[in-house]
Each structure stands twice: as structure tokens, then as C-alpha cells.
Amino acid sequence: MQDLVELTAVRLVEGYRKGEFSPVEATRAALERAERIQPEVNAFVRLTGEEALVQARASADRWRRGEPAGPLDGVPVTVKDILLMRGAPTLKGSKTIAPEGSWDEDAPSVARLRESGAVFLGKTTTPEFGWKGVTDSPLSGVTRNPYDPTRTAGGSSGGAAAAVALGAGPLALGTDGGGSVRIPAAFCGIFALKPTYGRVPLYPASAFGTLAHVGPMTRDAADAALLLDVIGVPDSRDWSALGPAAGPYSAELTGGVRGLRIAYSPTLGGQVAVQPAVAAAVRRAVTRLAELGAYVTEADPDFADPVDAFHALWFGGAARVTQHLGPHQRELLDPGLREIRGLGGRLSALDYLAAVDVRMELGRRMGRFHDTYDLLITPTLPITAFEAGAEVPKGSGHRRWTGWTPFTYPFNLTQQPAASVPVGKDGDGLPVGLQIVAARHRDDLVLRAAHALYEAGFTSGGS
């Protein structure tokens, strides 16, 4: 029998349908892998093994009857510990949240997966309240890279990325407010999509407002499309959620890239210093897209680094999410979070509105850019994974995590769909990610281009 932990969700569902193996077998294999990797990588805050096996047995019964509950029935999935999952505490990496309580509600994306018959393996790690681009927290410690445990998995969805990369479930739910599915995807060699804002409903609302997206983290683009089909439907609890998609994303994958107009921006117009190995891997992938029929032009979007505006919104969100804490609880916070919440608390309404003005102008510029180009391609990150337990690479001179993520957060400001695709490794064997960005509501184009790279055998992922 094939090693079940190496199979994609698409392949698992095919196997269930043909009777080649069962959801119980797949779930046991994923749980065993999760338990094996946990001591070294620390991807999970909680494994829900007994409940997962109950769900898997119910799924197996449905498949035997030929009545699957949905397109992901029996597929093992993990949930970042920012999202509510019924029956398990959602502690968000913080010692300030009490685990006691009923925990009787699912977030919209979790609810859709439950309705589809997915099997929940557990909750994955996050930095405290998802505030930074690496995954360590006062509550659960440091999450490490599948390729080198001395390095970071990235963040803030680092546990989700590590779990997928190491076979502890082919699907994961992550969140992305400034790069938080794309950063760890790039560092861990998996695929991740930040959909157009509102495509996947979010409840409760994030303190970081409309920067925050829920997104699929998977083995490949086909799995992400299937997962997005399930979770990307409206939910009345999110007033900003989009209406139903025009059709299944999984049905739009095979269009290829022939004729697409692609802008390749290797450094955002010289604004970003990119490691040579990263630049070379991304350039090779762009060349492959041209060979597949895309019209590729080296072109830069016309904007300056919007980091100050992003910080105003992000630090304000940090102040808001911790506003209710008393002095003793504030002392329990991650020191970096404590610092930025102080900065955010000193911002005025005029500071906030000035940041919104920058955001709106950036959105206008990118809207015009996509009048000319269907897709924008950049490196996901200018670097590969650095030492675990640090917010910034040693000796980099950066003060905050945004210093080394200049390609990701601009597209949270604009709410555009953006994905990270694994396209190679550096000299130390660490993964390199390529970012694909499209105009708002064109998630289908992002997935199509990524799928074309997978179909061409170009991508490299897995540990």
C-alpha cells in the first residue's frame, strides 16, 4: 500500500471512492506521523486523536454506503489555534486566555469542513494572537523547520506549514494578516493561498481587521482549490464575506498559463535585497512559465514600501486585542507583542485614517497595474529560513518581522489573492518560495498558474 501520509487530499478521496484504503487508515497514519514529529518540530498545541478516529469511522461508514458528506469526507485536516474549533480550547498562543469553557462553536471555515466530513487531527501552533512572521509563543514554545530544526518554520501559521510538510495531514487552515500563510509555506516547502479578502468568512472578527484572511495550506494547488471550494462560501456571522464564487475553483485549474500576461518583479524595483539562491530559483520558475506559453515581462508595480501604514494598522490591532488585559496579564505577553501594543495604543484616529489613505492609494495602483498584467510574480520572501526562536535574522539590522517580509504584507493591504509556491532550495537545502498575485477576485488565476507549475513537474516540496 502507498504511504498514506504522502498522499494529497485529492488522491485520498479517490482512494476512498475506489475502496483502496479507508479514512480510518489515513487518519491513523496521519496521527502517528503527528505524534512522531511533535517532539522535534512542535507543530501542535493539541492533538485530538480519539475524536479524529471517531470522525474517521463515521466517514468510513458513509463511504461504504456510497454517501460521502462532501468532497473532503474523511480527509485529515489541522486547524491553526487562532480559529474556533468545537470541543477544543482556542488559546491563540497566549497565557492570558483561560482554557476552561464550553468551546462549543466552530469558525465558519471549520464548520464547512465539519459539514463536509473532514477529520480534525488537532490545533496547530501560532505566535501569540498571530502577531509576527515566526511561530513561537509564551504558551507553546518554538515551532521548528521541517528541513532543519535549528531554523524557524516561519509564521504565524508555522505549525500548520510544518504539519503539512511532514505528512501530519494534507490540509491545514491558516490565517494571514501580513503573510502568515505564505511566509511559513515558503520556509517549509508547501503551497499556501491567501484568498481575496472575504472569500473565506472569518468569525469572530480579527482584531487586525480587514488585513486578516483565512487560507488553505496544502501539498499543492489542486488540494488548495478543493479546500477553497469547501470553505469559500458565505457565512452570516461575517458581514464582510463575499457572495458565492462563480463556480468551483477545482474546475478552473487546467486552463494553463498560455496567453496570460505576467509581470515578474524580482526586487520590487530595487527596493528589496534578495538572496542570490532565492533570486535564481524564482527566475527559473518564471522562465518555465514563459516556456508554458505565458507572456512574461520584467515589470515592477508602482508603489513605495507601505510598511509605515501597515504598522499603524497592525500595531493598532495588537493594542486592541490586548486592550482588556490587566497589568498582571500584560506581563505574561510575548515581549515583542507587549512593545508593539504600546506603540499601537499611542496612535490617533488621524494616524489610522492616514494609513487607510495609503492603503486605498496602493489598491488603486495595483488595480491599474492589473489592467495591464493578469499576474504579478515575486519571490515570496527574499531569504530562506533563519534561526528558530528569533523574530528577525541575526545581524540583519531589522527591528521587526516586517523588515524581512516586504513582498507579502502589501497584498494584505490591497486584499488581493496571493499564493506561495515551492520552486527550489538554496545551498543549505532550505526551500524557496515564489509568490503569485492577481487582481481581487481572480483567485482562479493564481491557482491556475500555480497548478501549471505543479503539472510541469517544476515545483519542489515535502521534506
Side-chain angles (χ1 to χ4, degrees):
M1 182 184 292
Q2 300 175 76
D3 190 343
L4 296 178
V5 301
E6 301 300 327
L7 300 184
T8 65
V10 170
R11 179 67 186 91
L12 284 176
V13 170
E14 179 187 8
Y16 299 159
R17 184 176 294 111
K18 294 179 177 178
E20 297 173 356
F21 40 77
S22 77
V24 175
E25 292 170 305
T27 299
R28 283 193 177 125
L31 285 169
E32 288 170 5
R33 179 61 62 88
E35 289 166 355
R36 189 156 84 244
I37 67 172
Q38 179 63 10
E40 184 172 40
V41 175
N42 188 31
F44 290 89
V45 293
R46 177 183 297 266
L47 284 168
T48 52
E50 290 185 13
E51 297 94 328
L53 288 170
V54 169
Q55 294 163 4
R57 292 184 191 105
S59 174
D61 287 341
R62 290 191 293 271
W63 280 106
R64 276 194 292 270
R65 298 194 307 268
E67 299 173 351
L72 291 174
D73 201 337
V75 177
V77 62
T78 64
V79 177
K80 183 181 180 181
D81 199 34
I82 290 288
L83 299 168
L84 293 178
M85 187 174 87
R86 195 173 73 220
T90 299
L91 304 181
K92 303 183 180 183
S94 183
K95 292 181 176 179
T96 67
I97 298 177
E100 299 82 15
S102 56
W103 303 106
D104 57 359
E105 190 171 22
D106 285 329
S109 51
V110 177
R112 302 295 85 76
L113 282 169
R114 198 182 297 278
E115 291 162 4
S116 188
V119 173
F120 295 104
L121 299 179
K123 303 296 290 289
T124 54
T125 53
T126 176
E128 195 163 21
F129 299 110
W131 82 270
K132 60 183 174 180
V134 293
T135 302
D136 58 75
S137 75
L139 183 68
S140 56
V142 178
T143 297
R144 299 177 180 276
N145 193 287
Y147 287 81
D148 180 351
T150 70
R151 311 286 184 115
T152 180
S156 62
S157 307
V164 171
L166 290 170
L171 304 179
L173 291 179
T175 62
D176 189 316
S180 289
V181 300
R182 290 161 289 155
I183 293 167
F187 278 175
C188 295
I190 69 164
F191 180 82
L193 172 70
K194 178 187 76 67
T196 299
Y197 178 80
R199 172 48 54 213
V200 181
L202 179 60
Y203 170 85
S206 171
F208 298 105
T210 57
L211 295 172
H213 304 57
V214 178
M217 305 181 72
T218 60
R219 298 271 172 75
D220 60 22
D223 271 12
L226 183 59
L227 179 50
L228 188 59
D229 286 341
V230 171
I231 65 175
V233 295
D235 188 290
S236 60
R237 293 172 292 175
D238 183 353
W239 65 269
S240 63
L242 297 175
Y249 291 102
S250 52
E252 300 294 327
L253 284 175
T254 57
V257 296
R258 182 167 300 279
L260 290 183
R261 303 163 299 165
I262 294 179
Y264 166 46
S265 179
T267 62
L268 292 180
Q271 296 183 75
V272 184
V274 178
Q275 287 179 354
V278 172
V282 173
R283 188 173 288 276
R284 285 193 296 271
V286 170
T287 299
R288 186 71 181 111
L289 289 170
E291 293 169 350
L292 292 170
Y295 299 115
V296 177
T297 304
E298 193 161 317
D300 302 307
D302 177 25
F303 65 78
D305 187 356
V307 68
D308 291 337
F310 180 80
H311 279 169
L313 299 170
W314 196 253
F315 295 175
R320 177 62 178 160
V321 78
T322 57
Q323 184 179 26
H324 66 288
L325 301 178
H328 172 69
Q329 286 181 304
R330 289 198 294 271
E331 287 303 310
L332 300 176
L333 294 173
D334 179 325
L337 176 57
R338 197 161 58 239
E339 181 179 337
I340 70 163
R341 75 170 297 277
L343 296 171
R346 293 193 286 274
L347 294 168
S348 69
L350 289 177
D351 295 325
Y352 170 82
L353 290 172
V356 170
D357 285 344
V358 171
R359 183 179 193 180
M360 294 176 73
E361 173 60 15
L362 180 61
R364 182 193 71 81
R365 287 174 181 264
M366 287 308 303
R368 293 297 299 272
F369 184 82
H370 285 292
D371 286 341
T372 303
Y373 300 104
D374 299 305
L375 296 171
L376 168 66
I377 288 183
T378 73
T380 306
L381 298 167
I383 59 174
T384 52
F386 54 90
E387 59 269 27
E391 183 185 345
V392 300
K394 189 182 213 176
S396 67
H398 299 310
R399 181 74 184 92
R400 295 264 76 99
W401 62 272
T402 43
W404 52 268
T405 60
F407 293 112
T408 59
Y409 56 78
F411 305 110
N412 291 81
L413 290 166
T414 62
Q415 303 185 338
Q416 294 171 248
S420 183
V421 185
V423 292
K425 298 183 178 70
D426 70 4
D428 293 323
L430 297 168
V432 171
L434 169 149
Q435 180 174 236
I436 305 174
V437 184
R440 292 174 74 243
H441 312 296
R442 294 313 309 265
D443 306 69
D444 60 316
L445 290 183
V446 174
L447 289 164
R448 266 176 55 191
H451 185 64
L453 286 172
Y454 279 98
E455 286 287 284
F458 187 86
T459 60
S460 61
S463 178

